[in-house]
Amino acid sequence: MTAPLTPPHQPPHDPDWPPSPPPSDGPAGDPITGAEVLQGVVVTLVSAVAGAVLGVLWLTLAPRVLLISDGKGVYLRDSEGESAIGADGTFVLLALAFGAVAALVVFLLRRKGGVPLVLGLALGGVLGSLLAWGLGTSFGPTDDVVGHAKAVGPNVVFEAPLELNMAAAAMLAWPLAAMIVHLALTAAFGPRDPEPEAWDQPKPYRQGPSAG
């Protein structure tokens, strides 16, 4: 007669039985908190205010389009010049730089990242670009070209109003640069999720001693 086999279920206190894995946080990840939303709003506002600095720099650094009047009409002083394209290029380069710097600052202050921060960078970049565009065109030369030509008189060179010929594309330079740089920094230097621990496989069941 033989003794019965040991039961398949091992008690929890058995040292040979592997421990249970920790509970999972779920596929959805951590929920967005109110603090993260507030941080995203702050990033949006700060980026929008920084657009004033972009506007001043654009107004200062952008090449000017020069006009001249003969008393009957207004003409480009240099018909082959590229100043109009240069104004667009200056705005785009400055906006790209502002977006990259904004992403770097946000990453250094909040390495964990999060959806609200990314949205704040994107929305703030658009608002900042709009503010820069408005300031540059408002405080630059007047857009009343005919009135300006009459005021300065014939054969006198004066500056054309500052404009963006590719305004829609220029408005996207800042937010695109901010999101791309922030994504690259997060992927390269951001915190990593902990690796799941390897759990030992259950040991095979042991058969009890047989009795004669």
Side-chain angles (χ1 to χ4, degrees):
M1 183 175 180
T2 59
L5 300 177
T6 56
H9 176 71
Q10 295 287 342
H13 62 271
D14 191 338
D16 292 335
W17 191 256
S20 301
S24 173
D25 292 336
D30 297 332
I32 297 176
T33 63
E36 291 176 336
V37 174
L38 179 60
Q39 292 169 0
V41 173
V42 171
V43 169
T44 301
L45 295 178
V46 173
S47 298
V49 173
V53 181
L54 173 59
V56 173
L57 290 176
W58 181 47
L59 181 61
T60 304
L61 301 176
R64 296 292 191 264
V65 177
L66 300 180
L67 304 176
I68 190 170
S69 172
D70 61 357
K72 298 179 180 180
V74 180
Y75 310 94
L76 290 172
R77 182 187 180 188
D78 184 4
S79 59
E80 298 181 358
E82 299 180 354
S83 299
I85 300 177
D88 284 50
T90 301
F91 188 97
V92 170
L93 290 177
L94 289 173
L96 290 174
F98 270 67
V101 171
L104 177 60
V105 172
V106 169
F107 175 76
L108 293 178
L109 295 178
R110 182 68 175 175
R111 289 180 177 268
K112 186 179 178 181
V115 175
L117 289 179
V118 176
L119 293 178
L121 284 172
L123 181 57
V126 173
L127 295 178
S129 298
L130 290 173
L131 177 59
W133 183 20
L135 287 177
T137 54
S138 298
F139 290 93
T142 177
D143 57 358
D144 185 6
V145 176
V146 176
H148 196 179
K150 292 180 179 180
V152 300
N155 301 321
V156 177
V157 177
F158 62 97
E159 296 179 355
L162 192 60
E163 297 177 347
L164 280 178
N165 297 313
M166 298 182 295
M171 294 301 104
L172 297 178
W174 181 337
L176 286 178
M179 289 188 293
I180 292 174
V181 172
H182 188 270
L183 177 62
L185 290 173
T186 303
F189 307 106
R192 298 290 187 271
D193 294 332
E195 295 291 339
E197 298 181 1
W199 301 97
D200 296 332
Q201 296 294 331
K203 295 184 178 181
Y205 302 135
R206 295 169 299 178
Q207 185 176 9
S210 59

